[in-house]
Amino acid sequence: MPAPVAQDEWRLVTQAQRGDQEAFGELIRRNQEQVIGLVYRLCGDMELAEDAAQEAFLRAWQHLPSYRPDAPFKNWLYRIAANIALSALRRERAMTDIDDLLPAASDEEPEDETEASERREYVRRAVLALPAASRAVLVLREYEGLSYREIAEVLNIPIGTVMSRLNYARSKLRESLAPYLQAEGE
Amino acid sequence: MSTHHTSLVSFYHDGELHRRQLHHFEAHLAGCPICQKELATLRRLSHVLEDFTIPVGKTSPERFSARIRARLPARQRQSAWRTALQGVWQAAPALLFGTLTFGQAVLMLSGAALTIAGLSGSVPWPRNSWLVRLALLFGAAIDHSTRSLLQLLGTLSWFTVLELAFLGIIGLLYWGWLASWWAYHRSVA
C-alpha cells in the first residue's frame, strides 16, 4: 500500500471503491469537518459551504474508482471541493455582495466579547477580501497546513504560482490586518 | 532586503526548507535582526489569522453524512467487457510501444529480405508518379517549395511510404490516447 494513505483509510477507500456505502459514510464522517471548513473559508457562507461540501462528496463517490493513493485521500477531496467552491464563488459573485454574507454585530455582548467578535469579523473580512485564487492558496497553507507541493496538486497550478499567490495574499493581509499585527507585537 | 532572503523567511516559516538550506538559513537568522523581524511578523500574522473560525453548521455531522448517503447513486458493477476495455486503455502506451517495436523489426527484416531477393524496397515508384504529375499539373499554382516536396515524396520508395504511414498511425494513436487521458483526468478533477 502506498505511503501517503494510512492503512485504515486505504481499507475504507478500497471498500468504498467496490461500492460499500457504509465505508464511504465513514470516510465522510472523518473528513466532513475539514472539507466544510475549507469551503467555508473560501466562500464565507456556511450554507453555501455545506451545499458545496455535499456536492464534493457526491462527486468523490462518482469518481472514487479512479482515485489512486499517490496523494492523501483528504487532498483528493480538497481538490474536488476547492474546484466546486471556486466555481460556486464565480457564480455567486455576480449575484451576492460579500458584505451581504457578513452577520450584523450584536450590541448586547459584553465588552470583551464584543472586542473579540469584532476582531474575528475583521480577520474574516480581510481574508474574504482577497482575490479567490490567492485566498485558496492562503487557506490551504494557513488553515489546512498543506505543503507548497500539495497545494500545487490540489489547485492544479505550478509550485511557483503557489509561492507568488501566497506572498501576495500575505502582503495584502499585512496591510489590512496591520492594527492587529501591531497590537500582537507589543 | 535581497541580502536578507525574504523569500527564505517564508519558506522557513512554512517548513519548506530542508537539510543544508535549513542549517544555512538558521545560521543566518541567528545573526540577522531583519530576518528575525520578518519571521516574527509572519508568525503574528498566522496567529491573527486563527481568528477566522468556522461557525457551527446548520446541519449536524450525523445529518450531513446521512443526507449525502441518501443521495448516493448505487454504483453499478462494471461489466467484464468494460473492465477489459479499461485495461486496454490503461495499457495503451505499452501496447503502442510494443507495436512500434514489432512493426519496425518486421519492416527492417522484410526490407533486408527484399534486398537479398533483388526486389529491393528502395526501388522508387515509377518516374512521373501521380505525385510528380500532380506537382507538374499544379506547377503554376503552387509555390516552389511545395512543388519540390511533392516531387520528393513522389520519388520515395513504396517501402519508405509504408514505414512513414506506420509511424504516422502509431503517433496519431499515441496522441489520441494522450488527449483522452488528459480529458479524463480533467473531468475527474
Side-chain angles (χ1 to χ4, degrees):
Chain A
M1 191 221 42
V5 181
Q7 183 85 39
D8 185 33
E9 189 168 71
W10 177 236
R11 182 180 54 77
L12 289 170
V13 170
T14 47
Q15 285 173 350
Q17 280 179 324
R18 287 198 289 265
D20 185 342
Q21 294 194 356
E22 286 289 332
F24 191 67
E26 178 59 21
L27 287 171
I28 296 172
R29 197 187 62 72
R30 288 182 184 195
N31 293 287
Q32 67 186 65
E33 198 181 319
Q34 285 162 302
V35 172
I36 293 173
L38 168 72
V39 183
Y40 172 70
R41 286 186 172 120
L42 288 180
C43 65
D45 178 8
M46 202 54 184
E47 206 173 323
L48 195 67
E50 287 187 344
D51 287 348
Q54 270 194 41
E55 191 57 41
F57 280 111
L58 287 170
R59 204 177 284 184
W61 170 257
Q62 285 166 357
H63 292 290
L64 203 55
S66 69
Y67 168 71
R68 298 283 172 269
D70 44 10
F73 182 70
K74 184 186 73 181
N75 292 7
W76 186 71
L77 280 176
Y78 279 171
R79 182 176 179 146
I80 299 173
N83 274 338
I84 292 172
L86 293 173
S87 304
L89 215 55
R90 277 192 288 270
R91 284 196 303 274
E92 287 284 316
R93 197 167 49 186
M95 297 182 283
T96 319
D97 193 299
I98 201 80
D99 287 342
D100 295 344
L101 303 174
L102 302 174
S106 167
D107 296 333
E108 293 168 14
E109 290 170 332
E111 203 168 311
D112 282 356
E113 187 54 38
T114 310
E115 200 179 316
S117 163
E118 269 177 11
R119 177 171 152 144
R120 281 197 294 272
E121 201 48 54
Y122 199 90
V123 173
R124 180 173 174 272
R125 271 174 190 266
V127 174
L128 291 173
L130 292 170
S134 305
R135 185 161 72 243
V137 174
L138 180 96
V139 167
L140 288 168
R141 175 60 228 148
E142 290 287 347
Y143 298 100
E144 307 305 329
L146 265 57
S147 69
Y148 294 172
R149 188 182 55 79
E150 287 175 317
I151 298 170
E153 283 168 5
V154 167
L155 298 176
N156 201 21
I157 54 175
I159 207 159
T161 310
V162 170
M163 294 175 196
S164 60
R165 285 182 186 174
L166 188 60
N167 273 339
Y168 175 80
R170 280 176 173 159
S171 66
K172 281 281 166 196
L173 288 172
R174 279 166 75 159
E175 286 170 23
S176 57
L177 297 173
Y180 292 110
L181 288 174
Q182 280 159 10
E184 285 258 328
E186 285 161 7
Chain B
M1 191 72 185
S2 61
T3 55
H4 294 287
H5 318 293
T6 323
S7 58
L8 287 184
V9 179
S10 300
F11 296 164
Y12 180 74
H13 173 68
D14 292 327
E16 296 282 337
L17 293 183
H18 303 286
R19 294 193 189 104
R20 271 177 62 184
Q21 274 182 316
L22 185 65
H23 285 302
H24 279 144
F25 182 73
E26 280 179 337
H28 167 81
L29 187 68
C32 178
I34 295 175
C35 286
Q36 286 169 10
K37 194 178 166 196
E38 177 73 12
L39 182 62
T41 308
L42 282 177
R43 284 179 173 160
R44 280 204 301 276
L45 180 64
S46 290
H47 187 243
V48 168
L49 285 173
E50 284 171 17
D51 276 332
F52 186 3
T53 52
I54 300 164
V56 179
K58 288 181 180 172
T59 317
S60 68
E62 293 75 22
R63 213 170 139 219
F64 179 85
S65 172
R67 266 166 62 175
I68 297 171
R69 287 189 57 191
R71 288 177 61 194
L72 287 183
R75 190 174 291 133
Q76 287 175 347
R77 195 169 281 280
Q78 207 159 286
S79 61
W81 71 267
R82 202 182 153 87
T83 311
L85 203 67
Q86 201 172 12
V88 169
W89 183 74
Q90 281 171 349
L95 289 173
L96 285 173
F97 183 72
T99 311
L100 180 70
T101 313
F102 178 74
Q104 289 284 38
V106 167
L107 284 168
M108 206 164 71
L109 288 173
S110 53
L114 284 170
T115 308
I116 292 165
L119 300 166
S120 175
S122 64
V123 173
W125 279 357
R127 287 172 75 88
N128 290 335
S129 72
W130 64 274
L131 270 170
V132 179
R133 285 203 297 274
L134 193 72
L136 292 171
L137 190 66
F138 292 98
I142 55 180
D143 63 31
H144 180 70
S145 56
T146 312
R147 198 165 60 219
S148 305
L149 181 70
L150 284 172
Q151 281 173 337
L152 178 70
L153 282 173
T155 58
L156 288 178
S157 74
W158 60 268
F159 204 77
T160 312
V161 172
L162 193 70
E163 256 188 304
L164 286 174
F166 176 68
L167 282 174
I169 290 167
I170 294 286
L172 210 63
L173 286 172
Y174 178 72
W175 282 105
W177 178 86
L178 214 58
S180 69
W181 181 86
W182 181 80
Y184 176 75
H185 280 268
R186 291 272 298 182
S187 74
V188 170

